[in-house]
Amino acid sequence: MTADRLDSLVTFHPFTRLNTLLEGVQPGGGNTPLLLHVGEPQFSPPAFVAQAIHEAATGWSKYPPTAGTDSFRTAVKSWLDRRYGLPTEMVDATRAILPVAGTREALFQIALSAVALGAVKGKTKVLMGNPFYHAYAGAAAVAGGTPEFLASDRASNFQPDLKQITAAQLDGAAMVYLCSPANPQGSVATLDYLKQWLTLARKHDFLIAADECYAEIYTEMPPPGALEAARDLGGALDHLLVFHSLSKRSSAPGLRSGFIAGDPRFIARQAQLVNYGGVAVPLPILAASTRLWQDEDHVAANRARYRRNFDLAQEILGPIFGEIRPEGGFFLWLEVGDGERAAIELWKHAAIKVLPGGYMARGDASGRNPGARFIRVALILEPDETAAALRRMAKVLEGMMAMSKSGKTAAAAGGTR
């Protein structure tokens, strides 16, 4: 990879850009700084996590197997079967499931395999929605592929708009990243939509990397998953991998534990990547992870906290922005007019750090950045803390929006003279 492509990874990294934007800006308002720009859950994981790690402590002295343990893979298979209503024979626990040391890492690494396999056929494009999770574009660049950003606006429910994708794009694709619930917008892909994508993947021979890390955080109905689409299309797993994480589901980002499931060809390739230069999940972490995938009580409790946070957001910010509850995930995607300005004002006057939406997107063919008018806010604090943070935000954003409206009114009035 050329030096300029490496440099672009630094230049376009959203948190690097945010640090540069806020350099020299002091957090103000006499408030304790709150970091709501990162999707790092702050709820405590279940107490049994520490107990499970303690009970499996002898495993720290052993190199962990890349494939994990039988008990882990069995727990994951049982969860997938229950959660998505899968036939018991559909997902083979040995060949179609692999533990991963964090799904961000696995989402990044899978591009190495997909682009390498596609390149021999002249297929090096990596498709993704726009905006997108930054690891996707970084993975495409490092793998030697070409990231291609697909329109994903309100009209298409913030999922890549299938009507705007050409056959040439699909023919040139090595893989596509799909995210549902979406980061940052929280939109949920329908089952029919996922089936359309899987049908296209098989027709045009590319891999779907279905990022479902927010699948257990939702406001009403559980989001459908890509494995359900595979089930409805006959049960085969080819051209599909799904990615799940305990970071969001179980408020355990420090465990660095998740799994991938799907096409055995890519499961095997990912295992070899780990064998050569990756990180296998340690045995004590696998023991705790097994317990977490077997337990639903803590997940329901987490979901209730997030639901309460979004109720508070609607109550406090709704008068400014209207309906803002997402279908899933834990981010607010607020249209503020100028995301960078809002990020500066919120840090300067409320000591709240948020991410400008433009940092999660690229300019389209017309040069318009579809995220530029937005900010992403992670509602990852306990409800009481969230309420206080939202009230601080409301004071700043209400003033900003009022000034923006008055400026538009003045400009309109000036234009009639």
Side-chain angles (χ1 to χ4, degrees):
M1 186 169 60
T2 61
D4 60 326
R5 294 187 79 181
L6 280 170
D7 290 342
S8 73
L9 295 182
V10 176
T11 303
F12 284 106
H13 194 282
F15 301 133
T16 301
R17 294 179 71 184
L18 180 60
N19 289 339
T20 301
L21 178 72
L22 298 181
E23 189 174 359
V25 180
Q26 296 301 312
N31 297 300
T32 301
L34 294 176
L35 308 181
L36 305 185
H37 64 302
V38 180
E40 183 182 58
Q42 298 298 297
F43 307 152
S44 296
F48 65 70
V49 170
Q51 182 62 30
I53 292 173
H54 174 73
E55 291 172 357
T58 56
W60 292 121
S61 63
K62 300 177 181 178
Y63 285 119
T66 298
T69 60
D70 290 342
S71 58
F72 173 85
R73 292 192 306 275
T74 298
V76 166
K77 173 181 167 50
S78 296
W79 180 78
L80 285 171
D81 289 352
R82 290 194 311 271
R83 171 65 172 80
Y84 296 109
L86 307 180
T88 56
E89 70 277 6
M90 182 172 159
V91 179
D92 186 302
T94 300
R95 298 175 59 247
I97 294 173
L98 187 75
V100 295
T103 45
R104 178 190 63 183
E105 290 78 359
L107 285 161
F108 187 93
Q109 291 168 350
I110 201 61
L112 300 175
S113 294
V115 172
L117 286 173
V120 298
K121 308 170 190 175
K123 299 164 66 66
T124 58
K125 293 179 181 177
V126 179
L127 310 182
M128 64 199 74
N130 192 25
F132 55 90
Y133 177 44
H134 63 273
Y136 305 160
V142 169
T146 302
E148 190 141 328
F149 307 106
L150 307 176
S152 309
D153 57 21
R154 204 180 301 277
S156 63
N157 192 32
F158 292 116
Q159 294 288 335
D161 189 346
L162 284 166
K163 296 177 182 177
Q164 296 190 39
I165 302 171
T166 67
Q169 286 177 300
L170 297 172
D171 284 336
M175 67 177 291
V176 60
Y177 286 108
L178 298 179
C179 187
S180 177
N183 173 12
Q185 308 98 327
S187 61
V188 169
T190 66
L191 181 56
D192 182 65
Y193 179 84
L194 294 171
K195 287 193 284 188
Q196 289 182 65
W197 266 111
L198 187 52
T199 300
L200 290 170
R202 289 168 175 171
K203 177 181 178 180
H204 296 272
D205 190 22
F206 59 82
L207 175 70
I208 292 176
D211 181 352
E212 300 179 348
C213 291
Y214 297 90
E216 297 307 277
I217 305 171
Y218 51 85
T219 52
E220 294 183 8
M221 298 297 294
L227 287 175
E228 289 179 85
R231 175 201 65 196
D232 289 357
L233 293 175
L237 299 177
D238 62 287
H239 294 84
L240 173 65
L241 286 180
V242 299
F243 296 70
H244 284 268
S245 171
L246 292 172
S247 296
K248 319 304 183 189
R249 175 185 188 271
S250 300
S251 296
L255 277 184
R256 306 312 303 137
S257 180
F259 71 84
I260 60 175
D263 192 329
R265 297 174 303 162
F266 282 95
I267 294 289
R269 290 184 71 88
Q270 179 64 22
Q272 287 304 319
L273 278 176
V274 174
N275 287 339
Y276 275 105
V279 177
V281 182
L283 288 166
I285 302 300
L286 284 170
S289 302
T290 300
R291 291 280 305 277
L292 286 169
W293 288 114
Q294 291 170 334
D295 182 76
E296 294 296 328
D297 290 344
H298 77 281
V299 185
N302 279 346
R303 193 157 48 239
R305 291 188 187 96
Y306 286 120
R307 188 175 290 119
R308 176 58 181 153
N309 280 350
F310 281 112
D311 287 344
L312 288 166
Q314 190 61 52
E315 175 188 330
I316 296 169
L317 297 180
I320 305 172
F321 296 100
E323 180 60 46
I324 57 175
R325 287 187 188 91
E327 296 176 274
F330 52 54
F331 297 113
L332 291 176
W333 185 241
L334 299 177
E335 189 167 8
V336 295
D338 183 337
E340 287 190 324
R341 181 184 166 218
I344 292 171
E345 294 297 307
L346 285 167
W347 188 238
K348 183 177 181 180
H349 298 292
I352 292 177
K353 190 175 287 190
V354 302
L355 187 66
Y359 294 1
M360 300 189 71
R362 297 291 186 273
D364 59 20
S366 68
R368 183 186 70 89
N369 185 314
R373 295 179 56 82
F374 295 82
I375 55 173
R376 190 190 75 170
V377 186
L379 296 190
I380 38 76
L381 304 175
E382 292 286 352
D384 287 349
E385 298 172 287
T386 295
L390 290 168
R391 292 188 185 100
R392 282 157 57 175
M393 288 180 60
K395 291 180 181 178
V396 175
L397 294 175
E398 189 171 29
M400 244 189 81
M401 299 300 283
M403 288 180 63
S404 176
K405 289 179 181 177
S406 65
K408 288 179 181 178
T409 301
T416 61
R417 293 176 185 174

